[in-house]
Amino acid sequence: MPADSMSDDDRKSNQADSSQSPVYRRIVLKLSGESFQGSLVSGIDAETVHAIAREVKEVSDLGIQMAIIVGGGNIFRGARQKSLAIDRATGDYMGMLATVINGLALQDALEKQGVVTRLLSAIDMAQVAEPFIRRRAMRHLEKGRVVIFAAGTGNPYFSTDTAAALRAMEIKAHVILKATRVDGIYDADPEKVPGATMFERITYLDVIQKGLAVMDSTAISLCMDNRMPIIIFNMNRPGNIRRAVMGEKVGSTVTAE
């Protein structure tokens, strides 16, 4: 927009944006597999993945070091395949491979946006992804590349939530941002209970004691032990990732106090 055609409000908004600096410089963004399927019953919705890529690019362009953990529930979720009578460990490994598929899709979408990206897998598959090596991951971040972590922790019986918490500690992230379909943490499922109350701020201990479906208890305990803040927010509202890293009030925050 030409300078002479800008309104006073636009000028004030631009000045505010330029003077504001990010609160978090290195983040871990947790994306569920379901966030990739959009309006589909399962699988990957191209338009949704490209929308996510645009959001990530917007934040990366601020100079934020971004690591992304992807789930695989849109393709296969081991814990839900009881009807197939698959061994739990085998099902979990299948779920890990599903996260690699999502990681490849996101990497492709990001590169089409001009974002330099690296896909790191906890399971060795040299033809499609780099192996996860902590120092290599940190070096990629320092060089301004967006890093995608796939295959969870590489171990069965651990969720991608736990992988997000673990990787956040390993790369010395400042915060975990968990994208969901709702605005934050509620005392009941807001999609089923219209009068559910949202917590703007809550402690790790309260999350565990109240049995709130934020992240699994292993992930919450790991964050609590290492005082890693978690922000739960609605991914379907454009700009929420940027708002969170800039320190604006978005969703619910889980901290020690």
Side-chain angles (χ1 to χ4, degrees):
M1 181 183 294
D4 21 344
S5 66
M6 290 176 66
S7 68
D8 290 339
D9 288 341
D10 289 331
R11 290 191 185 94
K12 289 177 182 178
S13 176
N14 283 359
Q15 289 170 359
D17 287 345
S18 61
S19 63
Q20 192 178 6
S21 59
V23 172
Y24 305 106
R25 290 290 180 179
R26 179 177 291 177
I27 69 171
V28 166
L29 173 64
K30 170 61 171 61
L31 297 174
S32 68
E34 284 83 355
S35 64
F36 284 69
Q37 69 190 42
S39 59
L40 302 177
V41 176
S42 63
I44 299 171
D45 178 64
E47 186 177 339
T48 299
V49 174
H50 284 283
I52 293 171
R54 288 191 292 271
E55 294 274 318
V56 171
K57 174 178 168 54
E58 181 184 11
V59 175
S60 178
D61 286 347
L62 295 172
I64 306 298
Q65 296 180 11
M66 294 189 69
I68 303 173
I69 294 276
V70 292
N74 57 318
I75 298 172
F76 188 91
R77 186 184 291 277
R80 291 184 185 171
Q81 305 302 321
K82 295 179 181 178
S83 61
L84 297 179
I86 294 176
D87 179 78
R88 170 64 190 273
T90 301
D92 283 355
Y93 280 121
M94 293 170 71
M96 289 179 219
L97 297 180
T99 71
V100 177
I101 294 172
N102 284 338
L104 287 166
L106 181 58
Q107 181 182 42
D108 183 76
L110 285 168
E111 289 179 344
K112 283 183 169 63
Q113 295 285 333
V115 180
V116 181
T117 312
R118 293 291 185 272
L119 177 64
L120 276 61
S121 171
I123 297 176
D124 191 17
M125 46 183 76
Q127 284 81 0
V128 297
E130 297 180 16
F132 170 74
I133 299 171
R134 186 179 70 89
R135 288 183 178 276
R136 179 182 290 181
M138 294 178 73
R139 186 60 176 154
H140 285 322
L141 293 170
E142 289 164 358
K143 285 182 172 289
R145 299 162 183 157
V146 171
V147 174
I148 302 170
F149 293 126
T153 66
N155 301 288
Y157 298 96
F158 290 94
S159 70
T160 49
D161 280 347
T162 299
L166 177 62
R167 296 294 183 245
M169 311 312 165
E170 289 180 300
I171 66 170
K172 302 185 186 302
H174 301 140
V175 68
I176 295 173
L177 304 182
K178 182 174 179 181
T180 67
R181 297 180 301 180
V182 296
D183 290 335
I185 303 171
Y186 290 80
D187 59 358
D189 187 344
E191 295 180 337
K192 298 177 182 178
V193 182
T197 303
M198 191 180 100
F199 301 97
E200 285 191 5
R201 212 169 182 86
I202 191 169
T203 66
Y204 306 110
L205 206 55
D206 281 342
V207 169
I208 294 172
Q209 290 177 343
K210 294 177 186 294
L212 301 177
V214 179
M215 301 172 87
D216 63 75
S217 58
T218 304
I220 292 292
S221 296
L222 188 55
C223 290
M224 181 170 63
D225 291 345
N226 294 275
R227 302 179 75 84
M228 175 64 65
I230 309 164
I231 298 176
I232 313 294
F233 68 100
N234 191 336
M235 185 66 186
N236 296 323
R237 297 184 185 275
N240 263 357
I241 304 175
R242 184 183 187 280
R243 294 184 191 102
V245 300
M246 298 302 284
E248 296 180 29
K249 286 187 177 180
V250 176
S252 303
T253 303
V254 187
T255 57
E257 299 173 355

